[in-house]
Amino acid sequence: GLGSGVFVEIEAVLAVYFEESQRRILKIFTYGTLRDDDDVSGSAWTQPFVENASSCVSAEMRGHKLYISAFPHAVASGVQSDTVKGRLIAFDEEIFLEKLAFADKVEGVDYQNQRSDYGYERIRVDVVLKEGGKETAWAYVKEDPDEDAVELEGGDFVQWLSSQR
């Protein structure tokens, strides 16, 4: 009847709104295997993700600590001197949602079904650029470190990985 038609319309409006809210921030802060400068981990998804990026710059996310278990993960500490180092990757609007969906898939985040397979959630963060200034970006974080996780002093995954070789 009429009711379901109205519901579908509202759902369509919400979907558009959701896409718009995602689209307003066209940058993703990466600190692990999605970093464009990760030529160490050998992850299959690094290259396809960073392909066609409009810019990649060094940045850090403050108030977070970096941990490593199977994969690196950032966890909020609330202490400003705790920093996670990474890369701020920007994409043109035409391909941004596609790239965001790709990153969501890699990180096991499924917003349509409100599920997270690996415990990550995607949040908005302010990151500080190496050359100065702040930017708002999406980042994947966990609420708590994994049980078997070790804190990465210095908060730089690629540097740590290079030193392990």
Side-chain angles (χ1 to χ4, degrees):
L2 179 68
S4 63
V6 169
F7 181 70
V8 168
E9 225 166 272
I10 290 170
E11 224 173 34
V13 168
L14 284 176
V16 168
Y17 176 75
F18 181 68
E19 279 207 2
E20 278 311 309
S21 72
Q22 309 267 308
R23 216 183 253 129
R24 258 177 251 138
I25 298 170
L26 300 174
K27 297 184 166 101
I28 300 171
F29 174 73
T30 63
Y31 56 80
T33 57
L34 287 175
R35 279 173 65 161
D36 65 292
D37 59 350
D38 170 21
D39 43 21
V40 206
S41 75
S43 302
W45 46 79
T46 311
Q47 275 323 108
F49 173 69
V50 300
E51 206 174 60
N52 301 320
S54 56
S55 76
C56 304
V57 296
S58 293
E60 58 182 36
M61 179 168 65
R62 296 187 178 161
H64 287 75
K65 284 186 174 188
L66 188 60
Y67 295 88
I68 182 90
S69 51
F71 288 99
H73 49 288
V75 177
S77 68
V79 179
Q80 282 308 296
S81 57
D82 292 335
T83 59
V84 173
K85 292 173 179 57
R87 302 280 287 172
L88 183 64
I89 303 181
F91 297 101
D92 292 334
E93 201 166 337
E94 308 73 86
I95 61 168
F96 182 74
L97 285 177
E98 190 186 309
K99 292 293 186 176
L100 194 62
F102 183 91
D104 278 354
K105 200 171 178 140
V106 169
E107 307 295 355
V109 172
D110 179 352
Y111 278 102
Q112 254 150 348
N113 301 306
Q114 298 192 332
R115 221 178 65 217
S116 169
D117 292 339
Y118 316 123
Y120 290 99
E121 60 172 325
R122 171 161 50 82
I123 62 165
R124 290 168 195 228
V125 293
D126 286 326
V127 296
V128 180
L129 306 189
K130 199 173 185 175
E131 63 255 28
K134 271 187 182 183
E135 293 267 2
T136 302
W138 294 110
Y140 297 88
V141 300
K142 290 190 179 187
E143 208 171 319
D144 297 295
D146 294 347
E147 261 174 54
D148 57 346
V150 176
E151 188 187 331
L152 284 193
E153 293 294 335
D156 191 328
F157 171 69
V158 169
Q159 194 181 14
W160 173 80
L161 208 54
S162 305
S163 73
Q164 299 294 299
R165 295 290 150 114

